[in-house]
């Protein structure tokens, strides 16, 4: 074998080795990219699931807290606390209990901000906003505060009313229920968007499962009202 032939064999071997290394590197890069995309996709799905479930949990917690505020009011409750039959409510502990779902909602929203598209980011914000509005409308008790123009007699009556258990205000209950329906609607729209992005068969089934219009005048969520980038379906009511 002469020198030219030997160098040709060496060059061929080096070229084959180079192509093998480049090919292996390219495959590893592709695998890493696909793995990251798959991980991001799973993390986004998990965040949306947690956002929806936390919204439903917040709805339950606000209802429980509103009823607890009614039951733990009045002179009887004060006497039970004074006689150590029941411990007083700790505002910090109560706030932590209520905010457990709120913190999860905000954490999930942060993930959607990082990994979601514009439509998901906007809808996640609507869910969090609806949750905040429900929290603000949590109280259902009748106010016993005297008005600014109340006379001495009116102030005495308002002061005496604080000795009895707080009464439920039908208007506040209706407002809280309306806020709850808004939160449920926004969470349902978010779940519908994720179904579409996942390519689930009959993705519009979620919205079709709630065809009854809201009696409080809150418009029903429709796919035509979803943010840009989410396809609408003619099967949606």
């Amino acid at each position: 074998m002469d020198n030219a032939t030997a160098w040709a064999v060496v060059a061929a071997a080096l070229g084959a080795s180079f192509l093998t290394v480049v090919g292996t590197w390219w495959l590893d890069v592709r695998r890493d990219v696909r793995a990251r995309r798959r991980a991001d996709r799973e993390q986004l799905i998990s965040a949306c699931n947690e956002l929806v479930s936390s919204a439903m949990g917040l709805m339950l917690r606000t209802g429980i807290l509103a009823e607890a505020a009614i039951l733990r009011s009045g002179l009887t409750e004060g006497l039970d606390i004074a006689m150590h039959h029941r411990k007083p409510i700790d505002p910090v502990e109560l706030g932590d209990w209520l905010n457990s779902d709120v913190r999860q909602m905000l954490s999930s929203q942060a993930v959607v901000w990082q990994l979601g598209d514009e439509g998901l980011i906007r809808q996640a914000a609507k869910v969090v906003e609806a949750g905040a509005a429900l929290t603000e409308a949590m109280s259902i008790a009748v106010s016993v505060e005297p008005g600014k123009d109340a006379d001495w007699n009116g102030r005495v009556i308002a002061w005496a009313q604080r000795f009895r258990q707080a009464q439920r205000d039908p208007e506040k209950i209706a407002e809280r229920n309306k806020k709850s329906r808004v939160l449920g609607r926004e969470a349902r729209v978010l779940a519908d968007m994720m179904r579409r992005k996942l390519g689930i068969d009959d993705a519009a089934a979620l919205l079709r499962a709630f065809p009854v219009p809201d009696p409080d005048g809150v418009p029903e969520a429709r796919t035509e009202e979803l943010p840009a980038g989410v396809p609408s379906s003619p099967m949606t009511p």
Side-chain angles (χ1 to χ4, degrees):
M1 179 182 298
D2 56 10
N3 290 337
T5 303
W7 280 111
V9 173
V10 172
L14 291 175
S17 299
F18 175 76
L19 292 176
T20 301
V21 171
V22 171
T24 303
W25 172 79
W26 175 250
L27 289 176
D28 289 341
V29 170
R30 292 295 298 172
R31 291 193 189 99
D32 290 342
V33 171
R34 290 176 181 175
R36 284 197 298 269
R37 289 178 178 175
R38 185 163 50 249
D40 290 345
R41 179 184 177 90
E42 293 175 354
Q43 187 177 4
L44 180 60
I45 294 172
S46 177
C48 290
N49 290 340
E50 291 176 353
L51 185 55
V52 172
S53 62
S54 298
M56 299 301 100
L58 179 63
M59 192 181 303
L60 294 175
R61 288 178 187 270
T62 54
I64 293 173
L65 190 57
E67 290 297 330
I70 295 289
L71 297 176
R72 299 201 61 175
S73 62
L75 180 61
T76 302
E77 175 67 17
L79 291 176
D80 287 341
I81 293 176
M83 298 178 67
H84 301 284
H85 293 165
R86 186 179 300 174
K87 72 174 185 177
I89 295 177
D90 184 352
V92 176
E93 181 181 354
L94 188 63
D96 288 340
W97 179 79
L98 179 63
N99 288 331
S100 60
D101 285 314
V102 176
R103 285 194 296 267
Q104 185 59 58
M105 290 176 67
L106 296 177
S107 177
S108 300
Q109 185 188 28
V111 175
V112 175
W113 282 359
Q114 297 172 19
L115 304 177
D117 58 17
E118 180 180 357
L120 283 178
I121 292 173
R122 290 181 182 275
Q123 190 58 37
K126 289 183 179 180
V127 174
V128 174
E129 182 180 0
L134 175 60
T135 304
E136 292 179 359
M138 180 173 52
S139 175
I140 59 174
V142 175
S143 176
V144 295
E145 293 295 330
K148 295 181 179 180
D149 299 332
D151 54 9
W152 182 85
N153 187 41
R155 293 181 181 276
V156 171
I157 293 176
W159 177 78
Q161 287 177 342
R162 298 177 181 177
F163 285 96
R164 68 174 185 176
Q165 188 177 81
Q167 303 299 306
R168 294 171 179 82
D169 189 334
E171 293 184 359
K172 290 184 177 180
I173 294 176
E175 181 65 18
R176 189 194 65 181
N177 292 340
K178 181 178 178 180
K179 299 292 185 182
S180 298
R181 276 187 282 271
V182 171
L183 177 58
R185 181 195 65 185
E186 299 298 350
R188 194 171 76 236
V189 172
L190 178 65
D192 178 78
M193 294 175 66
M194 285 304 301
R195 287 170 61 88
R196 294 173 182 276
K197 291 182 180 299
L198 293 175
I200 296 178
D201 295 337
D202 194 13
L206 181 62
L207 293 186
R208 293 205 317 276
F210 301 91
V212 180
D214 193 303
D216 289 332
V218 179
E220 273 295 296
R222 299 175 60 88
T223 51
E224 292 82 0
E225 299 172 355
L226 296 178
V230 180
S232 60
S233 170
M235 301 178 66
T236 304

